Amino acid sequence: MNTQTPMIDVRQIRKAYGVHEVLKGIDLSVNKGKIVSIIGPSGSGKSTLLRSINMLEDVSSGEIWLDGKQVNRPLKGRQFENHINHIRQEMGMVFQQFNLFPHLTVLQNIMIGPIRLRKLNRAEALDRAQTLLSKVGLSDKGNAYPARLSGGQKQRVAIARALAMQPKVMLFDEATSALDPELVEEVNQVMKQLAAEHMTMLIVTHEMRFAAEVSDQVIFMDGGVVIEQGAPKDVLSNPVEERTRAFLRKHLSH
Amino acid sequence: MDIELIRQILPFLAQASVLTIGLTVCSLAIGLVVAVTITIASFSRMRAARWAAAAYVSIMRGTPLLVQLFLVYFGGPQMGLELTPFLAGVVTMGFNIGAYMSEGMKGAVLAVDRGQNEASRSLGFGRFDTMRLFILPQAAPLMIRSLGVNTVILCKSTALVSTIGVVELTYSAQRFVTSTFKPFEVFACAGAAYLIIVAAISLIVHALERAVDHGRKAAL
């Protein structure tokens, strides 16, 4: 039934810090246009898993594939550098702490990747950046420096910066966890909009309601393994595994 | 207090100050090259390069500058390295201050948030571009501050080359003492001359800091 190549395909990845294994053989695949959310307690390895996919963390074993190309090819030195730099351009990453470049304006933050890496000229890059800024509702902030923005605005710029590279997938690493509660919604709105446009997304989150709303599939991780996965209504409303239930009970009681 | 004496020796001390400034500038030039090299080596992926950089810094910081100076100037000829006092001074001080400066540069780079590196790498920028476009511009103000401190130290260290016969400010002052027997006036003047040079260095450093401080601009 599944003949298409998955956009993201993770096979049996393991990662250990010394003797402590944080990923114990994870399998995961995300098809084109699908949205998969990863939930789980802190320390479950969900962020590490996400960061492994674009090799911000390297893995001990296993394979990571993006749209039919292996991400963690066994290359050495400069060859690996070139390979990973190219493949990362295909994956947009959004961080919990935004990580905007504070010495650049909002527009410069968004344009620098397309200009330097995608070889767009300034006019094209500016055009693309302005389109994205209006999409995230920040057309008037183009010339501001990040220090002048609220957390929610920063994160929306960070999303625009990642989108400007026109990636095949977007990876969200707890994109709203560092935000004040009243700023979460504006970022969620942008993510929902991307979902409606069928962007392939892998989202690490602890917002169960948001996960239920946008995801095609939810994965519950604990202790470096996938405990349970499936449609959000199954995993979140009717979990089979006791650990999933315990986690959800604790989380929903807050 | 012999005011007349001070008036007489001031022009000579001013002249000697020029040599002190020359020593500082030349040592600084060598020091910067050394510091950049050591800093690059200490961020290298090659373990041997990192090790060599660390060893270099420990040796340079772990031995007195005066001993290094004597080693180069007096010990050099024995090893086939014959340098004029000025050159021996400049080379030794340059290589010495370079070790301290590299520590400041390294610290400034490490002070930039890790997330900046991750954001750049996740966009697809390589290590070199990441350093050049994102890390260094943010590290620059901090770097300049520590380079400034080290330049001040360097300027005052040039007094040590008086011991190998470079007639800079301190040596020049000593000569006046032997001819006038008025050490208080003479050394007070010499001290004042150093103070003026150091003040000038501080002014330049402040101007540079302002010129590169993107953080301040961003916070406006």
Side-chain angles (χ1 to χ4, degrees), chain A residues 204-221:
Chain A
V204 167
T205 184
H206 61 230
E207 284 184 80
M208 302 307 144
R209 245 204 349 224
F210 180 70
E213 232 177 298
V214 301
S215 314
D216 296 294
Q217 196 187 15
V218 173
I219 294 175
F220 173 69
M221 267 181 83

Side-chain angles (χ1 to χ4, degrees), chain A residues 51 54 56 77-78 81 84-85 88-89 91 93 95 99-104 112-113 116-117 145 147-148 161-162 165, chain B residues 45 113-127 129 132-135 137-138 214-215 217-220:
Chain A
R51 291 160 54 82
N54 70 359
L56 283 182
R78 184 157 294 276
E81 271 289 304
I84 198 68
N85 289 344
R88 279 178 178 147
Q89 294 180 24
M91 295 190 262
M93 176 104 181
F95 301 88
N99 298 340
L100 292 180
F101 305 124
H103 60 302
L104 302 180
I112 194 161
R116 302 261 177 187
L117 299 171
Y145 282 90
R148 297 296 306 273
R161 176 177 70 180
M165 294 297 286
Chain B
R45 268 176 301 183
D113 187 70
R114 255 175 68 99
Q116 293 292 305
N117 183 56
E118 293 187 346
S120 167
R121 299 309 303 272
S122 76
L123 285 170
F125 284 103
R127 286 160 53 95
D129 277 343
R132 184 173 64 99
L133 297 170
F134 306 114
I135 309 296
Q138 293 179 60
H214 299 282
K217 189 167 65 189
L220 276 180

